[in-house]
Amino acid sequence: MPYNSVPPTLPAASAPTTARPAVRRAVRAAGPATLAVLCLSVLTGCGGTEVKAQPRAGAPATGTSSGAPLPSGAARSDSPSGAGKNVPKGPLAGRTVVIDPGHNPHNHEHTREIARQVNIGTGHKECDTTGTSTNAGYAEARFTLDVAHRMRELLEAQGAKVLLTYDDDRAYGPCVDERARIGNTAKADAVVSVHADGSAVGNRGFHVILPALVRDGAADTSKIVDPSRDLGTRIAGRFVAATGSAPSNYIGGGTGLDVRDDLGGLNMSTVPKVFIECGNMRDPKDAALLTSASWRQRAAAGISDGIAVYLKG
């Protein structure tokens, strides 16, 4: 769930989080063309393979650096996770993908720091938020990091250079503007921010969030709106094929696509970027999927296939 806060601690029986902001920009509505792409993707299928993903050897497990805890409130500023790793040759050789695992499992320990306001072009927003969780306590931040690891394995196997905005290697964040800056600095060919929603019971399915046309302050998405829509449409189609999940029944009018101008991670990006909400953690049926390791592998394959198809163009 991109940047909608939930309380720092979530008991198993806590009430559902508030759904998305009421005002949504239905810019460049996809309509039948997107549905056609989704249907075509279902027919052509997904080429993902079942690979068990693990964090990199030697990577810290819980917000540490070189085995020592980070000082309270300290944010790391070194290179994105995965930089410099040799990858095999393949059809994506020479292409750079940045995966942005939404939120951080340790954000709830640093509520003051993540509440700091940052510039998102159209205004200011919190540095980051805690994200949501299932009613049983499986955190969105743990889900997004797991899917990111699986995606990294799949994309590197095709020769792509893959960077993560963070890999459980910092005390909190990164802030939303830094997440965008990492993709910009890497001159990424594609950036995908992985999330899961926290909406009402009965709201089910996935949706991909696309950047709206924004020219405001430090934000200018004019050059990335069209390629980001292409990237998002291909991811949506392959996600259907890989997971069998339907497009959201509560956002996007059945297209699986939504357009927003209030997300700093999109507004401040200068390279093609989308968010994907893989399902609703507060719906029991979607939660059963999101907590399944085999389903998360299919989700990672679907997103990675969509990226690969986009990059092969």
Side-chain angles (χ1 to χ4, degrees):
M1 179 175 66
Y3 317 124
N4 288 338
S5 297
V6 296
T9 57
L10 286 167
S14 60
T17 54
T18 303
R20 299 277 174 216
V23 179
R24 295 187 177 281
R25 275 61 172 181
V27 184
R28 301 172 58 87
T34 299
L35 290 175
V37 173
L38 293 175
C39 293
L40 177 61
S41 298
V42 172
L43 291 173
T44 55
C46 159
T49 57
E50 198 77 2
V51 179
K52 182 174 178 58
Q54 297 291 342
R56 280 190 201 290
T62 54
T64 60
S65 176
S66 302
L70 289 172
S72 178
R76 295 178 62 85
S77 59
D78 45 349
S79 59
S81 299
K85 181 179 184 295
N86 293 326
V87 295
K89 299 288 186 182
L92 299 184
R95 312 308 292 270
T96 299
V97 176
V98 171
I99 305 171
D100 178 28
H103 310 289
N104 182 318
H106 311 291
N107 275 355
H108 71 277
E109 300 166 359
H110 300 277
T111 54
R112 180 178 61 83
E113 291 87 351
I114 66 171
R116 178 172 64 86
Q117 298 287 298
V118 298
N119 185 2
I120 65 164
T122 54
H124 289 78
K125 254 188 171 177
E126 297 90 347
C127 158
D128 200 5
T129 59
T130 59
T132 189
S133 75
T134 66
N135 289 334
Y138 179 54
E140 178 188 1
R142 288 297 178 195
F143 168 83
T144 63
L145 196 56
D146 180 84
V147 172
H149 288 157
R150 296 169 188 272
M151 288 174 59
R152 180 169 62 190
E153 295 287 343
L154 294 166
L155 289 165
E156 285 184 343
Q158 297 188 64
K161 177 184 178 182
V162 180
L163 308 178
L164 270 60
T165 57
Y166 89 101
D167 196 2
D168 213 3
D169 53 1
R170 54 193 297 162
Y172 65 88
C175 294
V176 295
D177 56 340
E178 183 183 352
R179 290 173 186 268
R181 194 160 53 247
I182 289 169
N184 298 344
T185 300
K187 294 181 169 47
D189 297 292
V191 184
V192 176
S193 189
V194 181
H195 287 265
D197 209 351
S199 188
V201 173
N203 289 345
R204 296 197 61 198
F206 77 93
H207 63 279
V208 179
I209 304 174
L210 313 176
L213 178 60
V214 173
R215 291 191 185 98
D216 197 347
D220 183 355
T221 63
S222 57
K223 293 181 179 179
I224 70 164
V225 166
D226 288 340
S228 296
R229 174 169 285 274
D230 186 17
L231 171 64
T233 300
R234 293 177 185 275
I235 288 174
R238 293 295 169 137
F239 197 83
V240 170
T243 65
S245 292
S248 170
N249 64 5
Y250 63 103
I251 291 175
T255 66
L257 301 178
D258 185 34
V259 178
R260 291 177 62 174
D261 67 357
D262 63 327
L263 299 176
L266 296 180
N267 290 357
M268 306 303 286
S269 183
T270 59
V271 294
K273 182 173 182 178
V274 300
F275 283 45
I276 181 166
E277 299 279 5
C278 296
N280 176 16
M281 293 196 117
R282 293 296 183 163
D283 178 82
K285 292 180 180 178
D286 269 12
L289 300 176
L290 297 165
T291 54
S292 163
S294 62
W295 188 90
R296 292 196 300 273
Q297 184 64 39
R298 293 195 295 273
I303 301 168
S304 300
D305 284 351
I307 294 169
V309 171
Y310 166 78
L311 293 178
K312 293 171 186 175

